[in-house]
């Protein structure tokens, strides 16, 4: 059955599409798309490449993964328009899932919390750290890997302003309005930048954060609202095309902005082999994309195709840049991150995994905002919600 993700319905939403669909972390104010599509590679017009792609012997698969014994359906919480969902789509269209006896069903979203609310409908998903934390606290969602580290999460100001000329001067920020989506890593990045230039109390400088859904932030800034804005991924690319000045970003500041690969408790308990296979497919597909230029070009093409399926306006330049900036580990690197023990970043002396510390960098910031508590942090540890069982089984 060919993939058939429903398109956005109203032309009136077109202006919001570019800004609203290409999100990464997600927040409850982001829109969610709850349509479902089913697909198998059999209906795809794209075939696995002859060179280094097709089965070369009976029972051998492109990614070197053993097929499941019986035909099984994998339901994926798919983050529409995001590069960290791209490996699922590539694996689907290139026939990798089909080789492994897996049909794919997509639950498509543009916001993390909405994805978590619908977690009964999917087995695995990829979502930003705030979505991961929401899922852990409210739905016992398990993070089984890291899917991205989104460095292109940036602070922008307009050219020919005092903020553009001297953004590091605290006085230039006095009385300014900043458009960003509260409760996301956009707020994390902005507050860390404020701290870096000596502003620890926004009220003392009369700096106002205007809580603006990621889907409308760029559009609002384009119409003259706010003095600065924080956006990510395609929005950041578009802001630069508009001539806005990038003050800083997650990458420049050396901060952490991971997205997680998640699984439901039910899937881990009752579909272990399926989750294990999907886990390998995700990371092996990204390795396949990087094998040569031809494969990477195919990844760009299919990423644009997936955006088109969702009715998302994205140029080839933007799609290529998003994939170039996509920070996904190899399977071996991911296994190491999920299983290597190190000191908890909070200085308690407790040992946690490297992946746990990466997630906790975001969590610890939200604790300072009052969004989460130390009890929530301990709950994640006690329940083992950064779950290394799949990675351990592959060591």
């Amino acid at each position: 059955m060919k993939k058939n993700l429903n398109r956005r319905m109203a032309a009136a939403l077109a202006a919001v599409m570019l800004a609203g669909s290409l999100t990464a972390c997600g927040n409850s104010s982001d829109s969610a798309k709850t349509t479902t599509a089913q697909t198998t590679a059999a209906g795809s017009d794209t075939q696995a490449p002859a060179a280094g792609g097709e089965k070369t012997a009976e029972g051998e698969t492109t990614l070197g993964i053993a097929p499941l014994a019986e035909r099984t359906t994998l339901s994926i919480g798919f983050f529409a328009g995001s590069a960290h969902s791209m490996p699922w789509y590539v694996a689907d269209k290139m026939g990798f899932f089909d080789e492994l006896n897996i049909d794919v069903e997509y639950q498509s979203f543009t916001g993390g919390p909405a994805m978590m609310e619908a977690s009964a409908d999917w087995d695995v998903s990829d979502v930003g750290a705030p979505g991961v934390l929401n899922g852990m606290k409210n739905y016992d969602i398990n993070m089984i890997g890291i899917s991205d580290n989104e460095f292109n999460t940036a602070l922008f100001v307009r050219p020919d302003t005092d903020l553009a000329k001297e953004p590091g001067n605290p006085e230039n920020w006095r009385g300014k309005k900043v458009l960003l989506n509260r409760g996301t890593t956009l707020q994390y990045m902005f507050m860390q930048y404020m701290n870096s230039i000596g502003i620890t109390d926004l009220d003392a400088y009369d700096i106002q954060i205007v809580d603006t859904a990621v889907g409308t932030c760029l559009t609002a800034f384009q119409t003259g609202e706010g003095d600065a804005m924080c956006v990510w991924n395609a929005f950041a690319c578009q802001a630069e095309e508009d001539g806005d000045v990038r003050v800083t970003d997650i990458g420049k500041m050396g901060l952490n902005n991971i997205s997680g690969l998640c699984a439901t408790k039910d899937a881990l308990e009752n579909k272990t082999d399926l989750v294990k296979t999907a886990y390998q497919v995700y990371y092996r597909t990204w390795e396949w994309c990087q094998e040569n230029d031809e494969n990477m070009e195919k990844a760009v093409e299919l990423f644009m195709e997936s955006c088109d399926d969702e009715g998302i306006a994205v140029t080839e330049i933007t799609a290529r840049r998003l994939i170039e900036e996509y920070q996904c580990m190899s399977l071996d690197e991911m296994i190491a991150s999920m299983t290597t023990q190190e000191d908890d970043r909070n200085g308690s002396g407790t040992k946690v995994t490297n992946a746990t510390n990466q997630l906790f960098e975001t969590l610890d910031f939200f604790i300072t905002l009052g969004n989460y508590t130390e009890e929530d942090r301990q709950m994640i540890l006690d329940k083992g919600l950064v779950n290394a069982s799949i990675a351990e089984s592959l060591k």
Side-chain angles (χ1 to χ4, degrees):
M1 189 181 305
K2 191 172 181 180
K3 181 177 175 70
N4 184 30
L5 290 173
N6 293 336
R7 297 174 182 273
R8 304 279 181 183
M9 293 186 293
L13 293 179
V16 180
M17 293 287 184
L18 177 62
S21 300
L22 292 163
T23 60
C25 288
N27 181 269
S28 57
S29 56
D30 288 331
S31 61
K33 185 177 179 186
T34 56
T35 57
T36 302
Q38 292 184 337
T39 179
T40 65
S44 172
D45 295 331
T46 307
Q47 302 298 323
E54 294 180 348
K55 297 180 184 179
T56 56
E58 185 177 356
E60 185 176 347
T61 62
T62 304
L63 302 179
I65 303 169
L68 296 178
E70 297 180 355
R71 196 78 185 178
T72 309
T73 297
L74 174 72
S75 184
I76 298 172
F78 188 83
F79 217 116
S82 175
H84 55 68
S85 271
M86 176 268 298
W88 300 127
Y89 192 87
V90 171
D92 181 12
K93 286 294 187 176
M94 297 308 299
F96 303 160
F97 277 121
D98 188 47
E99 291 179 354
L100 302 176
N101 231 1
I102 296 173
D103 297 325
V104 178
E105 178 183 271
Y106 295 89
Q107 312 295 338
S108 185
F109 303 91
T110 61
M115 179 185 283
M116 294 304 135
E117 289 170 11
S119 57
D121 296 329
W122 50 261
D123 303 312
V124 296
S125 71
D126 54 284
V127 65
V132 174
L133 295 170
N134 176 294
M136 287 177 166
K137 181 174 181 177
N138 298 307
Y139 307 98
D140 279 347
I141 295 299
N142 287 241
M143 188 179 89
I144 58 176
I146 294 172
S147 59
D148 197 0
N149 197 335
E150 296 173 310
F151 294 145
N152 189 21
T153 299
L155 169 63
F156 286 93
V157 298
R158 294 187 180 85
D160 301 323
T161 63
D162 55 352
L163 289 178
K165 295 171 184 175
E166 196 178 2
N169 183 348
E171 288 302 315
N172 288 341
W173 288 93
R174 194 174 294 277
K176 297 300 191 290
K177 292 183 179 180
V178 182
L179 309 182
L180 62 82
N181 201 175
R182 286 184 181 272
T184 69
T185 43
L186 294 166
Q187 185 178 4
Y188 170 43
M189 180 268 301
F190 177 68
M191 293 303 299
Q192 291 284 46
Y193 180 71
M194 290 291 99
N195 290 341
S196 75
I197 64 173
I199 300 176
T200 57
D201 184 352
L202 298 187
D203 290 339
Y205 283 81
D206 194 27
I207 299 171
Q208 180 182 352
I209 291 179
V210 182
D211 189 10
T212 309
V214 176
T216 58
C217 191
L218 180 61
T219 302
F221 197 67
Q222 289 171 331
T223 60
E225 294 185 31
D227 302 292
M229 69 169 175
C230 299
V231 290
W232 50 40
N233 290 346
F235 319 132
C237 297
Q238 184 61 54
E240 288 177 330
E241 290 182 17
D242 291 344
D244 296 321
V245 176
R246 181 187 292 246
V247 173
T248 191
D249 56 41
I250 288 282
K252 291 178 181 177
M253 296 184 70
L255 300 176
N256 186 293
N257 189 27
I258 69 163
S259 295
L261 197 66
C262 296
T264 64
K265 182 179 179 181
D266 177 71
L268 284 169
E269 292 178 352
N270 300 311
K271 304 177 183 179
T272 307
D273 289 343
L274 177 62
V275 174
K276 181 178 177 179
T277 302
Y279 189 87
Q280 295 175 83
V281 168
Y282 185 88
Y283 295 106
R284 290 297 189 204
T285 296
W286 179 235
E287 293 175 19
W288 176 88
C289 292
Q290 297 176 94
E291 282 181 3
N292 54 56
D293 292 341
E294 181 181 357
N295 290 1
M296 188 58 74
E297 286 301 309
K298 179 58 68 174
V300 172
E301 174 188 327
L302 291 176
F303 179 53
M304 292 187 64
E305 181 181 306
S306 73
C307 290
D308 184 63
D309 282 349
E310 295 289 342
I312 297 169
V314 58
T315 66
E316 181 178 352
I317 293 174
T318 298
R320 190 176 301 280
R321 178 173 175 180
L322 292 177
I323 290 182
E324 288 175 351
E325 293 173 347
Y326 174 47
Q327 300 289 318
C328 184
M329 299 183 194
S330 68
L331 178 60
D332 289 343
E333 289 169 338
M334 190 65 263
I335 291 171
S337 180
M338 288 296 297
T339 59
T340 300
Q341 296 285 316
E342 58 189 36
D343 289 336
D344 191 324
R345 68 187 306 276
N346 69 358
S348 66
T350 303
K351 293 293 184 180
V352 299
T353 64
N354 171 265
T356 300
N357 263 340
Q358 293 195 58
L359 177 65
F360 278 6
E361 182 171 336
T362 302
L363 174 60
D364 290 342
F365 166 69
F366 284 126
I367 289 175
T368 68
L369 295 181
N371 295 14
Y372 292 89
T373 66
E374 291 293 341
E375 288 72 24
D376 294 326
R377 194 184 201 275
Q378 190 60 46
M379 176 273 293
I380 292 172
L381 293 173
D382 291 344
K383 289 187 175 182
L385 295 180
V386 181
N387 189 331
S389 61
I390 299 297
E392 289 281 1
S393 72
L394 295 170
K395 287 181 70 175

